[in-house]
Amino acid sequence: MPRPTLPRFHEIRRAALIVGLAALAYALAGWASLKIAGYVAGVVAAVWLAAGIGAVASLRFGVAGVAGVLLGALAVYSRVMPAEGAAFLSLGAAAGAAITGYLPRHLPPFSATLDYVSSVAKFTLVAAPLGCAVSAMAGVASLHYLGILDGDAALRALWVWWLGDLLGVYLIAPLLLTASRWDLLPTHKAARLEALVLVLGMLLLTRVMMEYAEPLRPAEIVLFVLLPTVLWAALRFSVTGASVAIFLAALIVLGVSLVSFGGLTAATTARDVFALQVSMVTMALGGLFVSAALTERRYSEMRLDMLANHDPLTGLPNRSYFQDFLGHALARAQREKLQVSLLFIDLDRFKHINDSQGHEVGDQVLRVVAGRLDEQLRADDFVARLGGDEFAVVLMHPTTSRAASRVARKLLKAVGESFKVAQRRYAIGASIGISVYPDDGTDANTLLRQADLAMYQAKQRRSGFEYFSDELNTVAQQQMTLESGLRQAFERKELALAYQPKVDLASGRVVGLEALARWLPRSGGIIWPDQFVPVAEETGLIVPLGRWVLRAACEQWIAWRDAGLNPPPVAVNLSPRQFTDARLIEDIEAILQETGMDAGQLQLEVTESAAMENPARTFDMLDALRQRGLHIYIDDFGTGHSNLGQLKRMPIDALKIDKSFVNDVLRDGDDAEIVNAIIRLAHALNLRVVAEGVETQEQAAFLKQGGCDEIQGYVIAKPLPPDQASALFARQFAPGELEGVPPELE
């Protein structure tokens, strides 16, 4: 059985402080109430302000607050009656306070700041009446038991006590409970002036009634002067303003009673006391309910505004809010001669996490990144999520060259730190593009476009961040021209295929062809793949381009076969974008079926980096392709980040050594060792090896000596049109012939 733990010293000290302060506040409020509104037997007040103190103490501090109420009540009642009676009345006060504080906490949902109608109803119509009833009944019963009140007086004392306690709760508790929501009060100059006019109006109208109303009844002041002003405050100044207005109104009416009649005493008629209590209860309830309803509506509007202008995932401002803010920032910068730096942030490697781990983990990653960006910026800086894994930061500063560099480095460092999500540690990076007002543009759309261009430059260079320059705009215009022309090239049939042969080093025969796309615009000349393929990748045109290449290669192979030329297998490159396309297998099957192509004669080349980006998906995709009879080659091997364990399990047929290693294989010992190691590794895994970019007989001889299976490059032939490529099908290259393509085929 576990041993109970003793409270710590600081907990004891805190509880003692709460008890002491609650007792002191209750005693002072009780003493003031008896002085101003003591009505029955010197102990029953028409307005018992101490009940409000007790309700707040119990609601906020629980048992410690109730203990403070008990001590405070003892201090008050001990001055006006015997100890036994004081004890009974104090226990009743503590019990009433406990009920008033306990019930709201156990009637969820409840807001202690009384800014929802349901919370006001639970507090003012359920908890407070029950708690005050318990206190009143216990007190009256004690006074009757002690012989201080007879039967008739006891009934009158009961309703006076109950309404007096209720008034104390309604007047004091809202003021204290809503003190934490001063932020809801309008702070502009016009609002302050309006509040001052409201207070002065309350005082002036009250003074007018005191001067001209005959006979003067405090209840009339409440109904005709103070109630309208309290409702005005509730409409204009939220629940906090209404609570202040209710308290001020109570002070005014009690002050009038004290000045005009010497307070609420035994000489005051029961009718006047009852009228005053009911009118003040009506005033307090009206103000609280109206203000709560309007505050609740304001919260709803704020939530709608939040949904309209903020990203629901990260809580950051969204693109719409960003556009508005940037527009205002540029206008201010123009007036005050300031600079505005716009940082466009795109996450690196986020797509891999999102695809491999699922959107739930991806969403958590975005929340982590958003929090880190927000933490690194100053209070007057602005960060927004534009969508996907794109963020933007707006900095306003005096005119300074490259002022955003320090912030960009700080953001890159913060984003780059690893973090843990779902029991797994992740690390991502970011690329940042920066544009500056007024140097790079004077409107929001231009600055955003320039920062986007700079971001892509940073991503390509892997430099972290880049500033916009005019050269980037020129490149962007060229890319737009290429994109537009490429879209038209499909319709105009300006695309063609060239075929580069692959030769088996053992037999000297052509054992394969690689199909390579060429763009032949009507204006003449040729646009090479290194110009239009990156644009196709970026714009998504690579998917239809890849389908076209696959179909055209299959149709050409069928044409060669039907012409009796016995063509070798043909290879087609799959881009990283294609390799992640969910329709890839479906497209390949459809093309094979429609063209009649033999799947065993089709080779698919996938770059090493694309294959290793998402190993789990790669295995599934390659396995599905192999099951359909296709042959898989890993292209550009040696330039990526292969995991040998994963490479061993991959369902592939061959590795292609990247041209960068072949170029210096005769001059660089390291490259030679790398090439030989790749050949040995491939053969150990029962894979064939193809060397790309072989340009000299000496390179071919080195590769043959090292055990390479096939070569491809200018030493055999450059990429050739179909009619010239077919001339090599039956040819057998002798070792001495691998010096370049014969002149008649050039």
Side-chain angles (χ1 to χ4, degrees):
M1 181 176 178
R3 297 176 59 185
T5 57
L6 296 175
R8 298 173 182 173
F9 174 73
H10 73 274
E11 295 174 342
I12 297 174
R13 184 174 61 180
R14 179 177 180 273
L17 182 63
I18 292 172
V19 171
L21 292 177
L24 178 61
Y26 192 94
L28 291 175
W31 174 80
S33 299
L34 291 177
K35 286 292 185 183
I36 298 173
Y39 183 63
V40 180
V43 293
V44 182
V47 180
W48 186 244
L49 300 175
I53 300 293
V56 174
S58 174
L59 185 61
R60 290 289 194 190
F61 307 113
V63 175
V66 173
V69 171
L70 180 63
L71 293 180
L74 276 173
V76 174
Y77 292 128
S78 296
R79 296 173 58 88
V80 295
M81 63 187 312
E84 183 181 12
F88 287 150
L89 267 61
S90 299
L91 289 172
I99 292 173
T100 305
Y102 175 85
L103 285 179
R105 292 198 302 269
H106 293 78
L107 292 173
F110 176 75
S111 171
T113 52
L114 304 181
D115 43 6
Y116 289 90
V117 172
S118 61
S119 298
V120 173
K122 291 169 186 175
F123 183 70
T124 61
L125 302 183
V126 179
L130 288 176
C132 294
V134 169
S135 176
M137 288 188 291
V140 170
S142 299
L143 293 179
H144 182 67
Y145 171 75
L146 295 172
I148 298 175
L149 292 176
D150 56 23
D152 294 337
L155 290 175
R156 184 178 61 163
L158 182 61
W159 64 257
V160 172
W161 196 318
W162 181 64
L163 286 175
D165 278 13
L166 267 183
L167 272 176
V169 173
Y170 293 168
L171 299 178
I172 297 296
L175 183 68
L176 299 178
L177 292 174
T178 62
S180 61
R181 297 312 314 266
W182 287 96
D183 59 302
L184 293 175
L185 290 174
T187 56
H188 50 84
K189 187 175 180 181
R192 293 174 182 172
L193 181 61
E194 184 179 355
L196 178 61
V197 170
L198 179 65
V199 174
L200 293 178
M202 293 169 66
L203 295 173
L204 180 60
L205 291 174
T206 300
R207 182 70 184 91
V208 169
M209 287 200 68
M210 290 177 64
E211 185 71 28
Y212 296 105
E214 186 64 36
L216 177 65
R217 292 186 177 86
E220 295 174 347
I221 296 178
V222 173
L223 293 175
F224 298 122
V225 176
L226 302 181
L227 177 59
T229 54
V230 166
L231 293 178
W232 182 6
L235 289 169
R236 299 289 293 159
F237 300 110
S238 78
V239 65
T240 306
S243 300
V244 173
I246 291 169
F247 182 71
L248 290 177
L251 291 182
I252 291 173
V253 73
L254 291 176
V256 169
S257 300
L258 187 62
V259 171
S260 301
F261 309 107
L264 299 176
T265 64
T268 308
T269 66
R271 177 178 296 179
D272 287 343
V273 171
F274 182 74
L276 178 61
Q277 288 180 316
V278 171
S279 63
M280 292 180 70
V281 165
T282 302
M283 173 188 71
L285 289 177
L288 291 175
F289 274 101
V290 170
S291 62
L294 291 174
T295 302
E296 191 170 342
R297 178 179 176 181
R298 181 180 176 186
Y299 286 162
S300 298
E301 292 173 349
M302 291 170 63
R303 280 193 293 269
L304 290 174
D305 181 70
M306 182 74 177
L307 291 173
N309 295 305
H310 289 76
D311 171 43
L313 177 64
T314 63
L316 294 179
N318 59 16
R319 179 180 286 270
S320 174
Y321 190 3
F322 162 78
Q323 293 279 8
D324 290 341
F325 181 89
L326 183 57
H328 290 301
L330 295 178
R332 178 186 167 193
Q334 184 178 18
R335 291 193 307 269
E336 301 180 15
K337 307 301 181 184
L338 298 173
Q339 266 188 347
V340 175
S341 293
L342 172 59
L343 285 67
F344 189 97
I345 304 170
D346 185 85
L347 301 183
D348 300 333
R349 301 187 298 278
F350 174 75
K351 186 177 185 299
H352 170 66
I353 294 176
N354 207 39
D355 291 344
S356 61
Q357 304 301 317
H359 292 290
E360 184 176 348
V361 172
D363 289 348
Q364 294 185 57
V365 170
L366 290 175
R367 292 190 193 100
V368 171
V369 171
R372 289 184 175 182
L373 293 176
D374 198 34
E375 289 171 0
Q376 296 299 320
L377 297 172
R378 304 171 301 177
D380 53 350
D381 296 333
F382 184 85
V383 58
R385 181 188 175 208
L386 302 184
D389 60 349
E390 296 177 344
F391 298 83
V393 172
V394 178
L395 309 175
M396 189 173 294
H397 49 80
T399 302
T400 310
S401 177
R402 307 213 161 203
S405 298
R406 183 184 63 83
V407 176
R409 292 190 187 96
K410 186 166 66 170
L411 295 179
L412 289 172
K413 181 180 178 182
V415 172
E417 293 178 356
S418 64
F419 52 89
K420 198 172 184 180
V421 172
Q423 306 303 315
R424 184 170 179 178
R425 189 159 289 279
Y426 298 93
I428 60 174
S431 299
I432 302 178
I434 306 172
S435 60
V436 180
Y437 167 88
D439 302 343
D440 302 325
T442 57
D443 63 274
N445 290 330
T446 300
L447 287 174
L448 187 60
R449 184 175 66 252
Q450 317 294 47
D452 192 11
L453 292 173
M455 183 275 295
Y456 276 109
Q457 180 81 345
K459 195 174 283 287
Q460 290 173 359
R461 293 182 176 179
R462 302 180 184 272
S463 57
F465 69 92
E466 293 283 343
Y467 282 85
F468 172 78
S469 62
D470 291 334
E471 291 78 6
L472 293 179
N473 222 349
T474 302
V475 171
Q477 293 296 332
Q478 292 173 349
Q479 288 183 334
M480 289 181 63
T481 302
L482 280 174
E483 178 187 352
S484 176
L486 185 57
R487 292 183 187 277
Q488 295 176 352
F490 288 103
E491 303 172 2
R492 296 175 178 176
K493 298 182 178 180
E494 296 176 349
L495 297 174
L497 288 183
Y499 298 87
Q500 189 169 37
K502 293 182 285 186
V503 169
D504 181 83
L505 285 172
S507 65
R509 302 194 69 84
V510 175
V511 292
L513 301 167
E514 182 177 358
L516 301 169
R518 296 291 185 262
W519 181 3
L520 308 173
R522 292 181 179 179
S523 57
I526 184 171
I527 300 177
W528 299 101
D530 59 351
Q531 294 176 277
F532 67 83
V533 168
V535 175
E537 284 274 10
E538 183 179 329
T539 59
L541 290 173
I542 194 68
V543 175
L545 177 61
R547 292 195 195 107
W548 179 88
V549 170
L550 183 62
R551 180 179 293 276
C554 291
E555 290 175 345
Q556 182 60 60
W557 190 92
I558 293 296
W560 282 327
R561 185 199 65 182
D562 293 347
L565 296 177
N566 192 25
V570 63
V572 173
N573 289 284
L574 293 181
S575 72
R577 184 80 170 264
Q578 280 180 283
F579 197 62
T580 59
D581 184 13
R583 294 181 52 193
L584 175 62
I585 294 179
E586 180 183 336
D587 288 341
I588 292 175
E589 287 182 330
I591 291 172
L592 291 176
Q593 184 176 2
E594 292 168 9
T595 60
M597 177 72 176
D598 180 2
Q601 299 297 314
L602 179 61
Q603 300 169 351
L604 300 178
E605 297 188 4
V606 182
T607 63
E608 181 185 12
S609 57
M612 293 301 173
E613 183 177 348
N614 187 343
R617 175 179 171 80
T618 296
F619 293 154
D620 293 340
M621 180 70 75
L622 296 182
D623 187 58
L625 293 172
R626 280 288 297 273
Q627 288 181 10
R628 287 160 173 79
L630 298 158
H631 296 282
I632 310 299
Y633 283 46
I634 297 297
D635 200 7
D636 301 336
F637 188 79
T639 61
H641 304 281
S642 290
N643 180 310
L644 295 182
Q646 294 172 345
L647 181 66
K648 178 182 177 181
R649 297 193 301 273
M650 277 189 180
I652 58 177
D653 298 282
L655 300 179
K656 297 188 72 174
I657 303 175
D658 188 67
K659 182 179 184 296
S660 61
F661 297 114
V662 176
N663 284 342
D664 296 325
V665 75
L666 300 176
R667 297 187 300 271
D668 190 319
D670 290 339
D671 281 351
E673 286 296 330
I674 291 172
V675 168
N676 285 325
I678 293 174
I679 294 172
R680 290 194 298 270
L681 172 65
H683 288 166
L685 297 176
N686 295 318
L687 303 175
R688 288 182 66 81
V689 184
V690 182
E692 296 182 285
V694 183
E695 297 182 352
T696 67
Q697 183 180 4
E698 290 77 14
Q699 291 173 342
F702 174 88
L703 292 166
K704 182 175 182 180
Q705 183 180 1
C708 184
D709 299 298
E710 303 173 20
I711 60 172
Q712 173 185 346
Y714 278 20
V715 71
I716 301 169
K718 67 178 182 179
L720 301 170
D723 57 336
Q724 295 183 21
S726 62
L728 300 176
F729 292 172
R731 181 170 179 178
Q732 183 175 9
F733 290 85
E737 290 183 289
L738 297 176
E739 299 176 349
V741 64
E744 65 270 16
L745 295 181
E746 286 287 352

